[in-house]
Amino acid sequence: MRPAGPTPAPDTPVRGGLTTLGEVACRYQADEIRPEELPMVAAEALAAGLDTPTLCELAGWPCSADTHDVRNAFEQALSESGIELPDPGLARRHALRRLAARLAAGEIAPADLATDNRWEAEAESEEERSFARLIPQCVCCLEYTLRLDQHTWAAELRIAALSLTSSAPISPGC
């Protein structure tokens, strides 16, 4: 996910814009960013110093623009910026780590993790598998499987989250 050509100095706005846009590309691949958010992302990248034709165009689009067109424009803007979309599986592994970090930091409650996402498919390390295994697939599963012992589950989930966030980072990062 490195930009093509010379890399700007780390303290320049363009470098910050590339880093931010690279992170957004990863979150986009993990379905953490909705298409209607992408025009604002483009505007923020422009404000950070990036300047490509498609990025300028996308920044002017309304949030209600056609989803397919927005996705195509965003991916073209990434290409023009020299940023490759990460593998979707890798992006979801990073999303799982971000989720663990948010839980460990107390930003979300254990019950907020109940989702229809299937995290096990992307989990590769033992820490990822341990954390993903504890995430209920839906609110119904949370009630059925944990009704008698939610405190133990929440404690195990936090321990797994801390273990994952303190484990070796995934390469390449995003």
Side-chain angles (χ1 to χ4, degrees), residues 86-168:
D87 172 75
L90 177 64
R92 291 207 19 102
R93 286 181 67 204
H94 281 282
L96 184 64
R97 282 180 167 268
R98 284 189 294 276
L99 190 63
R102 290 181 62 211
L103 179 70
E107 295 174 11
I108 56 174
D112 295 337
L113 297 180
T115 178
D116 61 356
N117 284 330
R118 301 282 186 225
W119 292 106
E120 295 90 359
E122 288 82 13
E124 290 185 15
S125 72
E126 183 55 39
E127 293 87 359
E128 291 169 349
R129 285 189 294 276
S130 294
F131 181 67
R133 206 175 348 213
L134 291 167
I135 299 174
Q137 297 306 311
C138 64
V139 175
C140 300
C141 293
L142 179 64
E143 292 174 13
Y144 287 120
T145 60
L146 305 172
R147 72 181 98 115
L148 298 177
D149 200 8
Q150 288 193 14
H151 294 292
T152 301
W153 165 74
E156 289 176 0
L157 189 61
R158 288 186 194 284
I159 290 167
L162 288 170
S163 176
L164 177 55
T165 58
S166 63
S167 67

Side-chain angles (χ1 to χ4, degrees), residues 3 7 28-29 31 52 63 90 104-105 110 116 126 143 152 155:
T7 302
Y28 168 78
Q29 276 294 76
D31 294 324
T52 71
C63 294
L90 177 64
D116 61 356
E126 183 55 39
E143 292 174 13
T152 301

Side-chain angles (χ1 to χ4, degrees), residues 48-60:
L50 290 178
D51 189 9
T52 71
T54 308
L55 201 57
C56 291
E57 180 184 342
L58 181 57

